[in-house]
């Protein structure tokens, strides 16, 4: 068989540990591994997509996205995030994932240091490496929040700092004081902040704070995926200083051309339509969080109550993690999220209360 050649920067990137578990387990498995809402996309959003198909809105759109959607995103950012943006500062992408990819490809030169939390979302390190950069994890404190002073120490000489609040995999929500301190220090040191805010609407006791409120060199990444249960629609966006957009567009237009036209019209309905489904989802996630947290702490696990997203990051030891997966409780080992938390596992509570109760019961049997 012919031995083919591959780019070293790609060969060195591992497949996502989360995706490996997407279809893991047998018929009786309880999958708490995937970060995907188990709710259906709200009907008014689906109807907008159907209308777009019937009206023949199935061709290419402008590279940056339809102007109506970019205007709606600007209105959303002003209303919900206290950010003033114009449509020419918005680029509609194929989910938040593409937005992150565009940022890395356009900003990172070979050898540039890219900072992100460790543990942190799996894409940050991989995308930095694919762009030729040097991924570098920033540690968390005992409460699973960013250690601000340690993060500042690492920022000198870095190119990008990725800030994710609410955070995946920890569910931590950073305070206004921490976000302000990180952004102001980064901008003083000429470090671009990339603020991943895809879980902004799933916060339970605290409030969401957008990083771009505190500095000019901040790129906001967001998506309809989690907020409106639209993961498969693949539509997100980035909001950035105007001069960044043409550089991001260079990568976007050759790799993607434009986000799917039908999904863009669906997203327009999402951002401009009834927001009550989001409230209902948030209330249900809060109830599930409390059920799972009470169940796990009742088994003796000790960890902070998550403040947002739909994840719990639980210290349980590698041996028990392996036993749980083998017993059909599909959770993601902490090693998938970096090098600093191999004894932890991420639980997703984007599943039914019944499944969560079953999972706790099964873990109790393993520990009994």
């Amino acid at each position: 068989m012919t031995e083919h050649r591959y780019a070293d920067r790609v060969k060195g990137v591992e497949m996502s540990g989360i995706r490996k578990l997407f279809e893991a387990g047998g018929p009786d498995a309880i999958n708490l591994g995937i970060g995907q809402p188990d709710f259906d996309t709200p009907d008014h959003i689906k109807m907008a997509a159907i209308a777009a198909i019937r009206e023949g809105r199935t061709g290419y759109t402008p590279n940056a996205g339809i102007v109506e959607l970019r205007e709606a995103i600007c209105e959303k950012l002003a209303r919900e995030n206290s950010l003033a943006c114009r449509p020419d500062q918005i680029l509609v992408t194929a989910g938040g994932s593409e937005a992150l990819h565009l940022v890395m490809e356009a900003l990172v030169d070979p050898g540039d240091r890219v900072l992100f939390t460790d543990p942190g979302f799996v894409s940050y390190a991989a995308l930095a490496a694919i762009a030729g950069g040097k991924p570098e994890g920033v540690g968390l404190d005992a409460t699973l929040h960013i250690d601000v002073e340690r993060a500042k120490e690492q920022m000198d000489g870095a190119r990008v700092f990725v800030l994710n609040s609410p955070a995946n995999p920890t569910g931590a929500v950073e305070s206004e004081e921490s976000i302000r301190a990180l952004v102001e220090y980064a901008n003083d040191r000429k470090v671009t902040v990339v603020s991943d805010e895809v879980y902004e609407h799933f916060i339970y006791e605290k409030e969401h704070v957008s990083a771009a409120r505190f500095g000019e060199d901040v790129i906001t990444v967001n998506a309809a995926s989690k907020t409106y249960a639209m993961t498969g629609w693949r539509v997100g966006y980035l909001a950035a200083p105007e001069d960044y957009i043409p550089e991001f567009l260079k990568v976007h237009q050759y790799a993607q051309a434009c986000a799917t036209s039908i999904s863009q019209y669906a997203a327009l309905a999402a951002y401009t339509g009834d927001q009550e489904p989001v409230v209902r989802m948030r209330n249900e996630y809060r109830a599930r969080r409390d059920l799972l947290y009470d169940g796990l702490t009742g088994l003796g696990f000790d960890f902070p109550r998550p403040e947002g997203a739909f994840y719990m990051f639980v210290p349980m030891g590698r041996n028990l993690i392996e036993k749980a997966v083998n017993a059909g409780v599909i959770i993601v080992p902490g090693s998938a999220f970096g090098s600093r938390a191999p004894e932890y596992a991420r639980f997703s509570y984007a599943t039914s209360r019944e499944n969560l109760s079953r999972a706790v019961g099964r873990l109790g049997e393993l520990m009994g």
Side-chain angles (χ1 to χ4, degrees), residues 36-354:
Q36 174 167 261
D38 62 327
F39 299 100
D40 194 11
T41 304
D43 283 344
H44 69 283
I45 299 173
K46 291 190 285 187
M47 293 305 297
I50 292 169
I53 294 170
R54 287 176 172 163
E55 293 165 10
R57 301 177 188 271
T58 55
Y60 292 124
T61 75
N63 290 138
I66 59 173
V67 68
E68 306 98 305
L69 177 55
R70 285 182 283 139
E71 289 173 344
I73 290 169
C74 289
E75 292 171 4
K76 171 259 188 277
L77 290 171
R79 181 177 65 249
E80 298 181 352
N81 306 88
S82 300
L83 301 179
C85 293
R86 300 183 307 278
D88 58 5
Q89 293 177 264
I90 305 297
L91 173 53
V92 180
T93 60
S97 299
E98 193 212 353
L100 291 167
H101 174 63
L102 299 182
V103 170
M104 297 293 182
E105 292 295 322
L107 300 189
V108 177
D109 277 323
D112 279 350
R113 293 167 57 233
V114 177
L115 308 183
F116 46 86
T117 57
D118 180 356
F121 180 46
V122 297
S123 290
Y124 305 143
L127 291 174
I130 290 170
K134 181 182 176 183
E136 186 176 317
V138 172
L140 305 179
D141 63 21
T143 68
L144 301 180
H145 291 85
I146 296 172
D147 186 323
V148 174
E149 294 308 313
R150 285 173 58 192
K152 287 180 181 179
E153 291 173 4
Q154 290 180 247
M155 267 193 224
D156 292 353
R159 178 65 188 91
V160 170
F161 176 76
V162 182
L163 174 62
N164 178 212
S165 177
N168 177 4
T170 64
V173 176
E174 299 298 337
S175 68
E176 179 175 338
E177 292 74 20
S178 291
I179 292 173
R180 180 190 290 271
L182 290 165
V183 171
E184 290 180 349
Y185 190 90
N187 281 192
D188 284 346
R189 297 303 192 275
K190 309 300 183 186
V191 178
T192 300
V193 175
V194 178
S195 184
D196 182 348
E197 303 182 11
V198 297
Y199 296 100
E200 64 170 333
H201 282 287
F202 302 129
I203 295 178
Y204 309 114
E205 283 81 34
K206 301 173 77 171
E207 292 186 1
H208 177 68
V209 179
S210 286
R213 287 174 47 193
F214 307 117
E216 294 184 359
D217 193 7
V218 178
I219 298 163
T220 302
V221 171
N222 212 325
S225 302
K226 304 300 195 295
T227 303
Y228 300 103
M230 293 178 67
T231 53
W233 297 79
R234 307 313 303 136
V235 58
Y237 65 89
L238 57 80
E242 182 179 352
D243 58 300
Y244 276 132
I245 299 299
E247 305 308 311
F248 298 151
L249 273 170
K250 290 177 185 177
V251 183
H252 176 68
Q253 68 180 359
Y254 292 120
Q256 181 70 17
C258 62
T260 302
S261 61
I262 299 157
S263 294
Q264 289 190 56
Y265 286 102
L268 176 61
Y271 287 115
T272 59
D274 182 12
Q275 302 300 302
E276 183 59 29
V278 181
V279 176
R280 289 198 298 269
M281 284 188 277
R282 180 168 59 245
N283 289 340
E284 178 60 21
Y285 285 139
R286 180 189 288 112
R288 294 174 181 181
R289 178 203 62 171
D290 292 343
L291 185 156
L292 183 59
Y293 184 79
D294 290 345
L296 292 175
T297 54
L299 292 176
F301 297 109
D302 183 17
F303 61 101
R305 183 188 295 267
E307 300 155 329
F310 38 66
Y311 305 113
M312 286 186 189
F313 205 53
V314 184
M316 47 192 304
R318 279 175 276 194
N319 185 48
L320 183 55
I321 294 170
E322 184 177 353
K323 286 183 177 180
V325 173
N326 290 337
V329 180
I330 309 302
I331 51 181
V332 185
S335 57
F337 303 100
S339 62
R340 287 182 165 92
E343 304 294 327
Y344 282 69
R346 190 192 75 174
F347 289 66
S348 168
Y349 49 92
T351 188
S352 68
R353 299 189 203 187
E354 178 187 3

